[in-house]
């Protein structure tokens, strides 16, 4: 959950990842034009077949480092 900088709107995003994550080592930040970036740290250093547990991803979600689908 995050609150926007310019307009005080609350944003919520619920994702079910393929495996457990380490919330303390994970982070997020606001980018330009309403973009948010997330860095997700795995709880266990292992290979996942995809980022999310399901085979579909939310609309407008882009993944740049791991297999997402």
């Amino acid at each position: 959950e995050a609150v926007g900088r310019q307009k005080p709107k609350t944003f919520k995003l619920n994702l079910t990842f393929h495996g457990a994550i380490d919330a303390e080592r994970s982070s997020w930040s606001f980018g330009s034009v309403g973009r948010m970036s997330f860095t997700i740290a795995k709880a266990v250093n292992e290979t996942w077949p995809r980022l999310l547990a399901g085979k579909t991803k939310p609309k407008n979600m882009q993944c740049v480092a791991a297999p997402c689908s």
Side-chain angles (χ1 to χ4, degrees):
E1 185 172 311
V3 178
R5 284 184 275 172
Q6 295 176 338
K7 296 181 181 179
K9 293 183 179 181
T10 301
F11 300 89
K12 293 183 181 183
L13 177 64
N14 295 311
L15 300 172
T16 302
F17 295 107
H18 192 271
I21 67 165
D22 182 343
E24 294 295 319
R25 294 188 309 125
S26 299
S27 63
W28 62 271
S29 64
F30 283 111
S32 62
V33 194
R35 174 181 245 168
M36 293 178 78
S37 295
F38 298 86
T39 300
I40 307 300
K42 297 175 187 175
V44 177
N45 188 12
E46 62 186 5
T47 302
W48 295 351
R50 62 188 159 275
L51 179 64
L52 302 177
K55 292 190 177 190
T56 60
K57 63 182 182 177
K59 184 179 177 182
N60 294 331
M61 180 178 158
Q62 295 180 0
C63 185
V64 295
C68 292
S69 56

